[in-house]
Amino acid sequence: MRARTWLLAPLAALGCAVSPEQLDRPTNVAFGLAGDVYVADGYNHARIVRFSGDGEFLMEWGEKGFGRGQLDTPHGIATDDAGRVYVADRENARVQVFSADGEYLAQWKSAALGRPWAIAFGPERHMYVVDGGDQDPERPRGHVLRVDLDGTIVDRWGTAGDGPGQLDWGHGIAVARDGSVYVTGLRGRGAQKFRRTR
């Protein structure tokens, strides 16, 4: 397999002009129906960037803020089989839903959803969300939630901590074809595998 580096590092620190295709601490990627690549350019840029499969810059959307379509640390990103783009808008404690072209469609935000850090779709068309919490030692959180396409929570498990089955800053998530859920922690136990029992 031939590797190609086409997501460029920022040049602003060198005094160079920053072009739209240059990323600054991106957090995650997802793939569109036509093979496009969506990048959550999250820590310093608060935007979503869309590239072709060959690395050509196509478009971007988002800016720092808390309004519709605005983002604050877009940390996770996923696409569904209709081409919609879902963004874990971490610091705004919500998931935002966009069309393939960046049109704002909806948001999921509630105390039960918490602060989404990572998202992924499972084989049954449900989204799995890692609630990394506010990292407040007085109110620790560490949940995985299963959410339908309307944003309704249909299942949840996990607690905060560093023991088996617990999450300490749950940071990434992936779902296998058999429904197994893999979650990584920024601290604590590394990667854990979960199997649904119902």
Side-chain angles (χ1 to χ4, degrees), residues 42-121:
Y43 281 115
N44 289 334
H45 276 164
R47 65 178 182 155
I48 304 302
V49 185
R50 182 181 178 184
F51 294 92
S52 73
D54 293 327
E56 178 189 354
F57 173 82
L58 299 176
M59 65 175 298
E60 65 178 335
W61 73 84
E63 62 182 358
K64 193 171 182 74
F66 55 85
R68 289 183 169 192
Q70 294 180 318
L71 303 162
D72 191 352
T73 315
H75 198 269
I77 190 167
T79 54
D80 68 13
D81 56 8
R84 290 178 292 255
V85 180
Y86 299 75
V87 179
D89 188 7
R90 190 178 83 181
E91 296 308 305
N92 285 324
R94 63 187 175 185
V95 172
Q96 291 198 73
V97 186
F98 300 93
S99 73
D101 296 320
E103 176 189 356
Y104 172 86
L105 300 175
Q107 77 170 2
W108 306 341
K109 184 176 177 70
S110 69
L113 187 67
R115 186 176 298 276
W117 284 40
I119 55 179
F121 273 101

Side-chain angles (χ1 to χ4, degrees), residues 5-175:
T5 302
W6 46 266
L7 302 181
L8 303 174
L11 300 176
L14 302 175
C16 301
V18 177
S19 61
E21 69 270 10
Q22 291 173 325
L23 305 173
D24 194 356
R25 300 184 69 201
T27 55
N28 215 320
V29 298
F31 300 95
L33 297 179
D36 292 351
V37 181
Y38 293 91
V39 180
D41 195 12
Y43 281 115
N44 289 334
H45 276 164
R47 65 178 182 155
I48 304 302
V49 185
R50 182 181 178 184
F51 294 92
S52 73
D54 293 327
E56 178 189 354
F57 173 82
L58 299 176
M59 65 175 298
E60 65 178 335
W61 73 84
E63 62 182 358
K64 193 171 182 74
F66 55 85
R68 289 183 169 192
Q70 294 180 318
L71 303 162
D72 191 352
T73 315
H75 198 269
I77 190 167
T79 54
D80 68 13
D81 56 8
R84 290 178 292 255
V85 180
Y86 299 75
V87 179
D89 188 7
R90 190 178 83 181
E91 296 308 305
N92 285 324
R94 63 187 175 185
V95 172
Q96 291 198 73
V97 186
F98 300 93
S99 73
D101 296 320
E103 176 189 356
Y104 172 86
L105 300 175
Q107 77 170 2
W108 306 341
K109 184 176 177 70
S110 69
L113 187 67
R115 186 176 298 276
W117 284 40
I119 55 179
F121 273 101
E124 75 292 78
R125 298 187 78 227
H126 282 166
M127 176 174 282
Y128 291 77
V129 178
V130 175
D131 171 13
D134 295 328
Q135 309 319 315
D136 180 346
E138 301 295 319
R139 299 177 301 151
R141 296 174 68 106
H143 302 112
V144 177
L145 304 104
R146 186 162 57 99
V147 182
D148 68 18
L149 291 181
D150 294 322
T152 302
I153 297 169
V154 296
D155 196 8
R156 68 183 294 138
W157 72 88
T159 59
D162 61 3
Q166 296 180 320
L167 301 174
D168 191 5
W169 284 27
H171 215 69
I173 189 166
V175 184

